Amino acid sequence: MIERHHADLRAHLFPGDGLEAAAALVCGVAGRNRDQLLLREHILIPHEACQVRTSTRLTWPGEFLEQAIDAADLIDGAVILMHSHPGGHDHFSEVDDDSDRVVIPVLQHGCQNPRAPHGSAIMLPDGRVRTRIYNESQQSRDVLKITTIGHDIRSREIAAAGSLLAYTSGMTVDLSKKTAVIIGISGTGSITAEALARLGVGRLILIDFDKVEKRNLNRILYATTQDIGRFKTHVLRDAIRLHAPNITVETFETSIGDEAVIAAASEADVLFSCVDSMEGRYHCDLMVQAFLCPLIDMGVVIPTRLRGGKLEIADVCGRIDYVRPGGASLWQRGEVTGGGLAEEYLRRADPEDHARQIQEGYLKGMPEEAPSVISLNMRAASAAVNEWLARLYEVRHDANKKYASTYFSLAAGEEEHAGEPDIGNAWRSGIFGQGLKRPLLGLLNPRETERDVA
């Protein structure tokens, strides 16, 4: 769930009177096994509407249950019934068990998605949450991981270890339970994947349809002349397995708009965008909102200029953006534009011009077949990985909300950072928290992305 929803629920469930309170959570469903829940919206049960409300017992009208079922059906989703334990008891009580035996079958028969994992949850005064979901046989299992995502990323399950010290073995153990998706396995992407593997991230999903070419051997980690013609994802996968055999590495050699890629990405704890196209960033933007998954987007560029008839380097710079669900998107920050998407589509319709644009990918205004930019890529990729760690663990002296965007200039020896632009109430998109509801990401047909974007 996003940070603000967690804060809303905590304020409502613990109004200060020591009595239980309730809410219905409408959740999108994600993950290839459809076992991940994304809080799309909460229905706060008015305190005065509850027929019984004591420190250990609560009953409320069925009309709110009907409202939750209707909202869940819009996204083929699930409903989680949450209430508070003001006394701090961190397990479900017998009263809770009795209630679930009555209400869960109602949810299972009332909602249109037969695979939706409905359940119940309790929140403790400190904001930690215990959740369980039920199968069709009314057998329950605990949800092992509960996360709030905002400027900070925090674990909220009962067994959460509290604040871990960054860059320690405790952090390594925590990272071993996480999944990172890296989109684009070239200059910055290969370095990002390698850094995450060395940090001990438990599962890496690598996405790139390109193959190694002679001209990019100088900036893709582990690539050799023998790898020319191999998929970039396979080169990194095989190298990581040699030094980190316990890490699961999964690869996709297709576009980011492929259905299998989208389903895999819905399982991520974080997305790293290492692409050089607006279309790729546009898809990442959609995934942030649909899957409530944080995104780290990075880019580097070396602008050139003519001075006195002589071409020279104007700057050597990079950008790292942290994008959170419910916050300002890359689109709202101006990193993705409608005009840019249309231009990319038209450029691909002219292969010769497209080839020239690829040549100029790093040095703007100057064609260069094999730019020597790995040191610049390493600077950006390292900053991007550390940006994620700063959100997970208390690293910075200042609040993370001040670091939505970071810009560095190696030419000027400067680094600047800024918070998100003010988007008011525009944070809520139609696909927010919808999970894998079709059409995926709100696109009419992911296999025809180029046509849809144009």
Side-chain angles (χ1 to χ4, degrees), residues 319-367:
R319 171 192 56 80
I320 296 91
D321 273 277
Y322 171 77
V323 183
R324 62 189 176 98
S329 65
L330 291 175
W331 185 287
Q332 290 160 327
R333 300 178 195 204
E335 299 299 336
V336 177
T337 65
L341 290 169
E343 182 182 354
E344 284 187 0
Y345 174 77
L346 294 174
R347 187 189 306 158
R348 283 194 296 275
D350 184 344
E352 292 183 2
D353 183 56
H354 183 42
R356 179 181 62 80
Q357 292 286 344
I358 290 176
Q359 273 193 320
E360 296 181 6
Y362 284 95
L363 283 84
K364 297 301 179 185
M366 175 183 173

Coordinates of all heavy atoms in Angstrom, one line a residue, residues 319-367:
R319 N 21.1 12.0 -14.6 CA 19.8 12.3 -13.9 C 19.4 11.0 -13.2 O 19.4 9.9 -13.9 CB 18.8 12.8 -14.8 CG 17.4 12.9 -14.2 CD 16.3 13.2 -15.3 NE 16.3 12.2 -16.3 CZ 15.7 11.0 -16.2 NH1 15.1 10.7 -15.1 NH2 15.8 10.2 -17.3
I320 N 18.9 11.0 -12.0 CA 18.3 9.9 -11.3 C 17.0 10.4 -10.7 O 16.9 11.4 -10.0 CB 19.2 9.3 -10.2 CG1 20.5 8.7 -10.8 CG2 18.4 8.2 -9.4 CD1 21.6 9.7 -10.8
D321 N 15.9 9.7 -11.1 CA 14.5 10.1 -10.6 C 14.0 8.9 -9.8 O 14.0 7.7 -10.2 CB 13.6 10.4 -11.7 CG 13.7 11.8 -12.1 OD1 13.0 12.7 -11.4 OD2 14.4 12.2 -13.1
Y322 N 13.5 9.2 -8.6 CA 12.7 8.2 -7.8 C 11.3 8.5 -8.0 O 10.8 9.6 -7.7 CB 13.1 8.3 -6.3 CG 12.2 7.5 -5.4 CD1 12.4 6.1 -5.3 CD2 11.2 8.0 -4.7 CE1 11.6 5.3 -4.5 CE2 10.4 7.3 -3.8 CZ 10.6 5.9 -3.7 OH 9.8 5.1 -2.9
V323 N 10.5 7.5 -8.5 CA 9.1 7.7 -8.8 C 8.3 6.7 -7.9 O 8.6 5.5 -7.9 CB 8.8 7.4 -10.2 CG1 7.3 7.7 -10.5 CG2 9.6 8.3 -11.1
R324 N 7.4 7.3 -7.1 CA 6.6 6.5 -6.1 C 5.2 6.4 -6.6 O 4.7 7.4 -7.2 CB 6.7 7.0 -4.7 CG 6.1 8.4 -4.6 CD 6.4 9.1 -3.3 NE 5.9 10.4 -3.2 CZ 4.8 10.8 -2.7 NH1 4.0 9.9 -2.2 NH2 4.4 12.1 -2.7
P325 N 4.5 5.3 -6.4 CA 3.0 5.3 -6.7 C 2.3 6.4 -5.9 O 2.5 6.5 -4.7 CB 2.6 3.9 -6.3 CG 3.7 3.4 -5.3 CD 4.9 4.1 -5.8
G326 N 1.5 7.1 -6.6 CA 0.7 8.2 -5.9 C 1.5 9.5 -5.9 O 1.0 10.5 -5.4
G327 N 2.7 9.5 -6.4 CA 3.5 10.7 -6.5 C 3.6 11.2 -7.9 O 2.9 10.7 -8.8
A328 N 4.5 12.2 -8.2 CA 4.6 12.8 -9.5 C 5.3 11.7 -10.4 O 6.4 11.2 -10.1 CB 5.4 14.0 -9.5
S329 N 4.7 11.5 -11.6 CA 5.2 10.5 -12.5 C 6.3 11.1 -13.4 O 6.5 12.3 -13.4 CB 4.1 9.9 -13.4 OG 3.6 11.0 -14.2
L330 N 7.0 10.3 -14.2 CA 7.9 10.8 -15.2 C 7.2 11.7 -16.2 O 7.8 12.7 -16.6 CB 8.6 9.6 -15.9 CG 9.6 8.8 -15.1 CD1 10.1 7.6 -15.9 CD2 10.7 9.6 -14.5
W331 N 6.0 11.3 -16.5 CA 5.2 12.2 -17.4 C 5.0 13.6 -16.8 O 5.2 14.6 -17.4 CB 3.8 11.5 -17.7 CG 3.0 12.2 -18.7 CD1 2.3 13.4 -18.5 CD2 2.7 11.8 -20.0 NE1 1.6 13.7 -19.6 CE2 1.9 12.8 -20.6 CE3 3.1 10.7 -20.8 CZ2 1.4 12.7 -21.9 CZ3 2.7 10.6 -22.1 CH2 1.8 11.6 -22.7
Q332 N 4.6 13.6 -15.5 CA 4.3 14.9 -14.8 C 5.6 15.6 -14.6 O 5.5 16.9 -14.4 CB 3.6 14.6 -13.5 CG 2.1 14.1 -13.8 CD 1.5 13.4 -12.6 OE1 2.2 12.8 -11.8 NE2 0.2 13.6 -12.4
R333 N 6.7 15.0 -14.6 CA 8.0 15.7 -14.5 C 8.6 16.1 -15.8 O 9.6 16.8 -15.8 CB 9.0 14.7 -13.8 CG 8.6 14.3 -12.4 CD 9.6 13.3 -11.8 NE 9.0 12.6 -10.6 CZ 9.7 12.1 -9.6 NH1 11.0 12.2 -9.6 NH2 9.1 11.5 -8.7
G334 N 7.9 15.8 -16.9 CA 8.4 16.2 -18.2 C 9.4 15.3 -18.8 O 10.0 15.6 -19.9
E335 N 9.7 14.1 -18.2 CA 10.7 13.2 -18.8 C 10.1 12.4 -19.9 O 10.8 11.7 -20.7 CB 11.3 12.3 -17.7 CG 12.0 13.1 -16.6 CD 13.2 13.8 -17.1 OE1 13.8 13.4 -18.2 OE2 13.6 14.8 -16.4
V336 N 8.8 12.3 -19.9 CA 8.0 11.6 -20.9 C 6.9 12.6 -21.4 O 6.2 13.2 -20.6 CB 7.3 10.3 -20.4 CG1 6.4 9.7 -21.5 CG2 8.3 9.3 -19.9
T337 N 6.9 12.7 -22.7 CA 5.9 13.7 -23.3 C 5.2 13.0 -24.5 O 5.7 12.1 -25.1 CB 6.6 15.0 -23.8 OG1 7.5 14.6 -24.9 CG2 7.4 15.6 -22.7
G338 N 4.0 13.5 -24.8 CA 3.3 12.9 -25.9 C 4.0 13.2 -27.2 O 4.1 12.3 -28.1
G339 N 4.6 14.4 -27.4 CA 5.4 14.7 -28.6 C 6.6 13.8 -28.7 O 6.9 13.4 -29.8
G340 N 7.2 13.5 -27.6 CA 8.4 12.6 -27.6 C 8.0 11.2 -28.0 O 8.8 10.6 -28.8
L341 N 6.9 10.7 -27.5 CA 6.5 9.4 -27.9 C 6.1 9.3 -29.4 O 6.5 8.3 -30.1 CB 5.3 9.0 -27.0 CG 5.5 8.7 -25.6 CD1 4.2 8.6 -24.8 CD2 6.3 7.5 -25.4
A342 N 5.5 10.3 -29.9 CA 5.1 10.3 -31.3 C 6.3 10.4 -32.2 O 6.5 9.7 -33.2 CB 4.2 11.5 -31.6
E343 N 7.3 11.2 -31.7 CA 8.6 11.4 -32.5 C 9.3 10.1 -32.6 O 9.9 9.7 -33.6 CB 9.4 12.5 -31.9 CG 10.7 12.7 -32.6 CD 11.6 13.7 -31.9 OE1 11.1 14.4 -30.9 OE2 12.7 13.9 -32.4
E344 N 9.3 9.3 -31.5 CA 10.0 8.0 -31.4 C 9.4 7.1 -32.4 O 10.1 6.3 -33.1 CB 10.0 7.4 -30.0 CG 11.1 8.1 -29.1 CD 11.2 7.4 -27.8 OE1 10.4 6.4 -27.6 OE2 11.9 7.8 -27.0
Y345 N 8.1 7.1 -32.4 CA 7.4 6.2 -33.4 C 7.7 6.5 -34.8 O 8.0 5.6 -35.6 CB 5.9 6.3 -33.1 CG 5.1 5.5 -34.2 CD1 5.0 4.1 -34.1 CD2 4.4 6.1 -35.2 CE1 4.3 3.4 -35.0 CE2 3.7 5.4 -36.2 CZ 3.7 4.0 -36.1 OH 3.0 3.3 -37.0
L346 N 7.7 7.8 -35.1 CA 7.9 8.2 -36.5 C 9.4 7.9 -36.9 O 9.7 7.6 -38.0 CB 7.6 9.7 -36.7 CG 6.1 10.1 -36.5 CD1 5.9 11.6 -36.6 CD2 5.3 9.4 -37.6
R347 N 10.3 8.1 -35.9 CA 11.7 7.8 -36.1 C 11.9 6.4 -36.5 O 12.7 6.0 -37.4 CB 12.5 8.2 -34.9 CG 14.0 8.1 -35.1 CD 14.7 8.3 -33.8 NE 14.3 9.5 -33.1 CZ 14.4 9.6 -31.8 NH1 14.9 8.7 -31.1 NH2 14.0 10.7 -31.2
R348 N 11.2 5.5 -35.8 CA 11.3 4.0 -36.1 C 10.8 3.7 -37.5 O 11.2 2.7 -38.1 CB 10.6 3.2 -35.1 CG 11.4 3.1 -33.8 CD 10.9 2.0 -32.9 NE 9.5 2.3 -32.5 CZ 9.2 3.0 -31.4 NH1 10.1 3.6 -30.7 NH2 7.9 3.3 -31.1
A349 N 9.9 4.5 -38.0 CA 9.4 4.3 -39.4 C 10.5 4.6 -40.4 O 10.3 4.3 -41.6 CB 8.2 5.1 -39.6
D350 N 11.5 5.3 -40.0 CA 12.6 5.7 -40.9 C 13.9 5.0 -40.4 O 14.6 5.6 -39.6 CB 12.8 7.2 -41.0 CG 13.9 7.7 -42.0 OD1 14.7 6.8 -42.4 OD2 13.9 8.9 -42.3
P351 N 14.2 3.8 -40.8 CA 15.3 3.0 -40.3 C 16.7 3.8 -40.3 O 17.5 3.7 -39.4 CB 15.3 1.8 -41.1 CG 13.9 1.7 -41.6 CD 13.5 3.1 -41.9
E352 N 16.9 4.5 -41.4 CA 18.2 5.2 -41.6 C 18.4 6.3 -40.5 O 19.4 6.4 -39.9 CB 18.4 5.8 -43.0 CG 18.5 4.7 -44.1 CD 18.7 5.3 -45.4 OE1 18.8 6.6 -45.5 OE2 18.8 4.6 -46.4
D353 N 17.3 7.0 -40.3 CA 17.3 8.1 -39.3 C 17.4 7.5 -37.9 O 18.1 8.0 -37.0 CB 16.1 9.0 -39.4 CG 16.1 10.1 -38.4 OD1 17.1 10.9 -38.5 OD2 15.2 10.3 -37.6
H354 N 16.7 6.4 -37.7 CA 16.8 5.7 -36.4 C 18.2 5.2 -36.1 O 18.7 5.4 -35.0 CB 15.8 4.5 -36.5 CG 15.8 3.7 -35.1 ND1 15.7 4.4 -33.9 CD2 15.8 2.4 -34.9 CE1 15.6 3.5 -33.0 NE2 15.7 2.3 -33.5
A355 N 18.9 4.7 -37.1 CA 20.3 4.2 -36.9 C 21.2 5.4 -36.5 O 22.1 5.3 -35.7 CB 20.8 3.6 -38.2
R356 N 20.9 6.6 -37.2 CA 21.7 7.7 -36.8 C 21.5 8.2 -35.4 O 22.4 8.5 -34.7 CB 21.4 8.9 -37.8 CG 22.2 10.2 -37.5 CD 21.8 11.3 -38.5 NE 20.4 11.6 -38.4 CZ 20.0 12.4 -37.4 NH1 20.8 12.9 -36.5 NH2 18.7 12.7 -37.3
Q357 N 20.2 8.1 -35.0 CA 19.9 8.5 -33.6 C 20.5 7.6 -32.6 O 21.0 8.1 -31.5 CB 18.4 8.5 -33.4 CG 17.6 9.6 -34.2 CD 17.8 11.0 -33.6 OE1 18.2 11.1 -32.5 NE2 17.5 12.0 -34.4
I358 N 20.6 6.3 -32.9 CA 21.3 5.4 -32.0 C 22.7 5.7 -31.9 O 23.3 5.7 -30.8 CB 21.1 3.9 -32.5 CG1 19.6 3.5 -32.3 CG2 22.0 3.0 -31.7 CD1 19.3 2.1 -32.9
Q359 N 23.4 6.1 -33.0 CA 24.8 6.4 -33.0 C 25.0 7.6 -32.1 O 26.0 7.7 -31.4 CB 25.3 6.8 -34.4 CG 25.8 5.6 -35.2 CD 26.5 6.0 -36.4 OE1 26.1 7.0 -37.1 NE2 27.6 5.3 -36.7
E360 N 24.1 8.6 -32.0 CA 24.2 9.8 -31.3 C 23.6 9.6 -29.9 O 23.4 10.6 -29.2 CB 23.5 10.9 -32.0 CG 24.1 11.3 -33.3 CD 23.4 12.5 -33.9 OE1 22.5 13.1 -33.3 OE2 23.7 12.8 -35.1
G361 N 23.4 8.4 -29.4 CA 22.7 8.2 -28.1 C 23.3 8.8 -27.0 O 22.6 9.3 -26.1
Y362 N 24.7 8.9 -26.9 CA 25.3 9.5 -25.7 C 25.8 10.9 -26.0 O 25.6 11.8 -25.2 CB 26.5 8.6 -25.3 CG 26.1 7.3 -24.6 CD1 26.0 6.1 -25.2 CD2 25.9 7.4 -23.2 CE1 25.7 5.0 -24.5 CE2 25.6 6.2 -22.5 CZ 25.4 5.0 -23.2 OH 25.1 3.9 -22.5
L363 N 26.5 11.1 -27.1 CA 27.1 12.4 -27.5 C 26.1 13.1 -28.4 O 26.1 12.8 -29.6 CB 28.4 12.3 -28.1 CG 29.6 12.0 -27.1 CD1 29.7 10.5 -26.9 CD2 30.9 12.5 -27.7
K364 N 25.3 14.0 -27.8 CA 24.3 14.7 -28.6 C 25.0 15.7 -29.6 O 25.8 16.5 -29.2 CB 23.3 15.4 -27.7 CG 22.5 14.5 -26.8 CD 21.7 13.5 -27.6 CE 20.9 12.6 -26.7 NZ 20.2 11.5 -27.4
G365 N 24.6 15.5 -30.9 CA 25.1 16.4 -31.9 C 26.4 15.9 -32.5 O 27.0 16.6 -33.3
M366 N 26.8 14.7 -32.1 CA 28.0 14.1 -32.7 C 27.9 12.6 -32.8 O 27.8 11.9 -31.8 CB 29.2 14.5 -31.7 CG 30.5 13.9 -32.1 SD 31.8 14.2 -30.9 CE 33.1 13.2 -31.5
P367 N 27.9 12.1 -34.0 CA 27.9 10.6 -34.2 C 29.1 10.0 -33.7 O 30.2 10.4 -33.9 CB 27.7 10.5 -35.7 CG 28.0 11.8 -36.3 CD 28.0 12.8 -35.3

